[in-house]
């Protein structure tokens, strides 16, 4: 038995089916935002309350898109689920329900059984390479793999700790479906999967939030990576 899952975010591109996609961006310091799909002329997004911009248009999974700021600068979606190339380029519309999970009934293992193997997907050449090594990993007694940060970072080689798009797996490692296939295959072998994540800063290269949502950051605290994230903001 297979199953599909779709956790709809309150922001970003959400595919609704029937060739309809909703786009939503928080840009409290902008008066207007344009949405460019597949390089076509920008459509003006509707202004919502509290700095939100939203629109729903005819658009299918796989389409590329950018947000056009008042300054004329084009930026990727901070809630991108996948990028067409790198962190500076267009984001891609993704349908999370397109993947059919083969082991949807996986319930994990007891914590005391955890023997965790931390690995870098890039060393394997990507998610498919990790998947190809799962039998060996399971055979030596490992019960869980921990993926070092996989969220999109600038370039193709990186430890992952200066990522800028937390919802998009880096394209050099594979697509969202490639990541799901890896997790599915791990569960088939009774291997748990953990993600190493970074939620306290963004990398300096490819982070465009300050251009249209400076409220995302504090102006009284700095970090080695730039201004601190302002977690006091409900939207943040």
């Amino acid at each position: 038995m297979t199953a599909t899952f779709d956790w709809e975010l309150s922001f970003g591109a959400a595919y609704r089916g029937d060739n309809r996609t909703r786009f939503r961006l928080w840009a409290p310091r902008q008066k207007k935002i344009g949405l460019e799909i597949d390089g076509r002329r920008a459509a003006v997004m509707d202004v919502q309350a509290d700095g939100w911009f939203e629109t729903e248009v005819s658009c299918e999974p796989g389409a590329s898109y950018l947000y056009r700021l008042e300054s004329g600068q084009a930026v990727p979606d901070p809630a991108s689920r996948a990028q067409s190339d790198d962190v500076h380029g267009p984001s891609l519309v993704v349908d999370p329900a397109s993947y059919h999970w083969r082991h949807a009934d996986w319930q994990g293992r007891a914590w005391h059984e955890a023997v965790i193997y931390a690995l870098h997907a890039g060393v394997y050449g990507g998610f498919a390479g990790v998947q190809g090594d799962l039998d060996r990993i399971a055979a030596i007694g490992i019960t869980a793999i921990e993926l070092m940060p996989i969220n999109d970072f600038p370039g193709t080689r990186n430890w992952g700790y200066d990522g800028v798009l937390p919802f998009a797996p880096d394209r050099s490692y594979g697509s969202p479906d490639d990541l799901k296939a890896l997790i599915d295959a791990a569960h088939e072998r009774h291997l748990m999967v953990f993600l190493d994540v970074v939620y306290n800063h963004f990398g300096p290269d490819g982070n465009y939030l300050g251009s249209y949502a400076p409220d995302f950051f504090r102006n009284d605290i700095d970090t080695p990576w730039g201004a601190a994230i302002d977690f006091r903001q409900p939207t943040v």
Side-chain angles (χ1 to χ4, degrees):
M1 176 182 292
T2 63
T4 62
F5 299 99
D6 179 6
W7 176 46
E8 183 174 319
L9 299 173
S10 60
F11 44 86
Y15 182 62
R16 297 287 178 77
D18 297 325
N19 193 33
R20 301 293 294 178
T21 302
R22 183 223 66 196
F23 296 86
R24 199 160 188 258
L25 176 73
W26 189 58
R29 298 302 178 93
Q30 298 284 295
K31 291 185 173 62
K32 66 177 182 178
I33 294 289
L35 171 66
E36 295 182 3
I37 300 175
D38 289 334
R40 297 194 297 270
R41 183 177 179 181
V44 178
M45 301 180 70
D46 297 328
V47 180
Q48 307 286 317
D50 301 322
W52 286 97
F53 292 81
E54 182 176 342
T55 191
E56 184 173 315
V57 299
S58 295
C59 180
E60 292 187 334
S64 64
Y65 67 99
L66 288 162
Y67 294 118
R68 183 70 64 175
L69 307 182
E70 288 180 281
S71 66
Q73 182 182 23
V75 298
D77 189 347
S80 170
R81 292 178 183 260
Q83 290 293 102
S84 64
D85 183 19
D86 203 2
V87 295
H88 302 288
S91 303
L92 296 176
V93 175
V94 172
D95 178 12
S98 66
Y99 183 84
H100 292 263
W101 293 87
R102 297 178 296 112
H103 303 282
D105 57 348
W106 169 258
Q107 295 295 311
R109 301 178 66 142
W111 181 244
H112 69 267
E113 297 177 359
V115 181
I116 302 175
Y117 183 86
L119 60 86
H120 189 292
V123 173
Y124 281 88
F127 302 131
V130 178
Q131 184 175 337
D133 197 33
L134 292 180
D135 286 334
R136 181 192 68 85
I137 291 173
I140 62 176
I142 301 299
T143 62
I145 60 173
E146 177 185 351
L147 303 177
M148 293 177 66
I150 60 173
N151 53 297
D152 213 349
F153 51 76
T156 59
R157 298 176 182 271
N158 199 293
W159 283 107
Y161 295 104
D162 60 352
V164 293
L165 297 174
F167 297 95
D170 194 84
R171 187 169 181 81
S172 65
Y173 297 162
S175 68
D177 280 0
D178 291 333
L179 173 59
K180 293 175 184 179
L182 165 59
I183 296 170
D184 221 2
H187 292 170
E188 181 179 10
R189 292 159 176 80
H190 303 287
L191 292 169
M192 296 183 287
V193 181
F194 293 91
L195 288 179
D196 186 352
V197 297
V198 178
Y199 291 148
N200 69 331
H201 72 269
F202 293 93
D205 187 8
N207 174 24
Y208 294 98
L209 282 165
S211 302
Y212 53 87
D215 310 64
F216 211 96
F217 303 96
R218 299 185 63 149
N219 56 20
D220 58 340
I221 298 177
D222 290 321
T223 78
W225 304 277
I229 298 172
D230 192 354
F231 290 106
R232 300 170 302 178
Q233 297 276 358
T235 301
V236 175

